[in-house]
Amino acid sequence: WGVLQFASASHQHVIVTTSEPTSYTDAYAIMKILTKRFSIRNFGLVVTMSDSIKQSEGIIHRFKDVVHSHLDVRLEVLDIIQREAKMSEAIISQSPFVEKFPSHPLTSRLGVLLDKINTAPVKPSGRLLFNFSGTTPAAQGNP
């Protein structure tokens, strides 16, 4: 319950999934809970560990159809990231991938993804927003 409350308080909701069916099931479940219990309506989607971009696009298309037919939400695909063998090296060495491989193309791609997330418009909902950095009514002198 605490994780759901924390997630609901975020100013952005990015679902990270793999291209495995069980991962999409989990992604749908968290979206459904956040939508039904907390009225979250905007989600970003990042697919990782993809073996085939074309195959992942097909799965995403079907996933979006299911989401839109059962939930009243906006779902934006932010990126599909292919499986990267060097990721295991970073994990084994307990080093962030971007620090271990700063000139790797995936590091640049992750930077672009981060910029996309950081520059997305923030729409405060009136709920407690742990990560919201905009001006709040309290900051403006209003109770």
Side-chain angles (χ1 to χ4, degrees):
W1 179 246
V3 171
L4 290 172
Q5 289 177 316
F6 187 77
S8 72
S10 295
H11 69 281
Q12 292 183 23
H13 300 88
V14 177
I15 305 295
V16 180
T17 185
T18 68
S19 54
E20 300 294 325
T22 54
S23 189
Y24 280 100
T25 302
D26 291 343
Y28 177 82
I30 192 73
M31 290 172 65
K32 182 177 179 179
I33 291 168
L34 289 173
T35 299
K36 301 292 184 187
R37 287 197 175 239
F38 301 101
S39 301
I40 306 299
R41 297 283 181 250
N42 294 302
F43 294 92
L45 181 68
V46 177
V47 178
T48 64
M49 299 185 350
S50 172
D51 290 320
S52 161
I53 298 293
K54 186 172 182 158
Q55 180 185 19
S56 292
E57 287 173 342
I59 293 168
I60 289 168
H61 180 73
R62 289 190 302 276
F63 179 72
K64 287 176 82 170
D65 284 348
V66 170
V67 167
H68 289 132
S69 67
H70 294 90
L71 303 174
D72 180 24
V73 299
R74 183 177 162 271
L75 179 62
E76 178 186 358
V77 178
L78 300 174
D79 205 352
I80 301 170
I81 299 172
Q82 289 189 284
R83 189 176 305 274
E84 174 52 58
K86 289 193 176 286
M87 189 63 73
S88 293
E89 280 184 56
I91 292 168
I92 290 167
S93 69
Q94 297 181 354
S95 302
F97 184 90
V98 297
E99 289 179 12
K100 187 159 182 73
F101 303 105
S103 59
H104 193 282
L106 179 56
T107 297
S108 297
R109 187 163 190 165
L110 292 171
V112 169
L113 176 60
L114 181 62
D115 288 343
K116 190 184 293 188
I117 292 169
N118 282 337
T119 59
V122 175
K123 297 176 184 170
S125 63
R127 295 182 314 272
L128 176 63
L129 298 171
F130 293 129
N131 298 322
F132 181 63
S133 61
T135 304
T136 62
Q140 297 171 356
N142 299 332

